[in-house]
Amino acid sequence: MNPKAHTQEVDHLFEAILSLETPEECYKFFSDVCTIKELLAMAQRYEVALMLDSRMTYLDIAEKTGASTATISRVNRSLTYGEDGYKLVFDKLGIKGGKKE
């Protein structure tokens, strides 16, 4: 993680997120913490990552998600050169090629 983002406040946020146990708890917390636009943007990036993992083309991903090619490129950069956060989650969820095994 970028050292600038590694703060006590971010640690507190992550601890709060880790305390959530159900999707309903997540909906309640994220509805308070994020705007609808921010939440939908994060969800869109995750869907883009799943589609890139399944080897879909940028054009197909853009058509299915409404994401810009800039967003798709940014997510692809994270998948290729990032901290492997998407891969970590995919592995934990048993996702391979964009789908649960």
Side-chain angles (χ1 to χ4, degrees), residues 4-56:
K4 291 181 181 179
H6 196 86
T7 66
Q8 184 176 8
E9 294 81 7
V10 173
D11 287 346
H12 290 162
L13 175 63
F14 290 165
E15 288 170 13
I17 292 168
L18 289 168
S19 76
L20 302 172
E21 296 180 7
T22 66
E24 186 58 35
E25 288 180 355
C26 289
Y27 274 106
K28 288 178 179 182
F29 180 74
F30 282 96
S31 291
D32 286 347
V33 172
C34 301
T35 65
I36 297 289
K37 188 174 180 177
E38 290 167 335
L39 185 57
L40 293 176
M42 286 190 288
Q44 182 186 62
R45 287 192 295 270
Y46 184 74
E47 291 302 312
V48 167
L50 288 170
M51 292 176 182
L52 286 167
D53 190 57
S54 70
R55 306 281 191 242
M56 288 180 67

Side-chain angles (χ1 to χ4, degrees), residues 30-97:
F30 282 96
S31 291
D32 286 347
V33 172
C34 301
T35 65
I36 297 289
K37 188 174 180 177
E38 290 167 335
L39 185 57
L40 293 176
M42 286 190 288
Q44 182 186 62
R45 287 192 295 270
Y46 184 74
E47 291 302 312
V48 167
L50 288 170
M51 292 176 182
L52 286 167
D53 190 57
S54 70
R55 306 281 191 242
M56 288 180 67
T57 67
Y58 276 34
L59 181 59
D60 288 339
I61 295 169
E63 286 177 1
K64 289 186 188 271
T65 66
S68 68
T69 54
T71 295
I72 297 166
S73 179
R74 181 184 178 280
V75 172
N76 192 47
R77 228 177 5 262
S78 293
L79 285 168
T80 306
Y81 304 110
E83 300 287 328
D84 288 333
Y86 286 114
K87 181 181 179 336
L88 176 69
V89 169
F90 293 166
D91 288 348
K92 285 181 174 277
L93 294 175
I95 294 172
K96 185 119 177 134

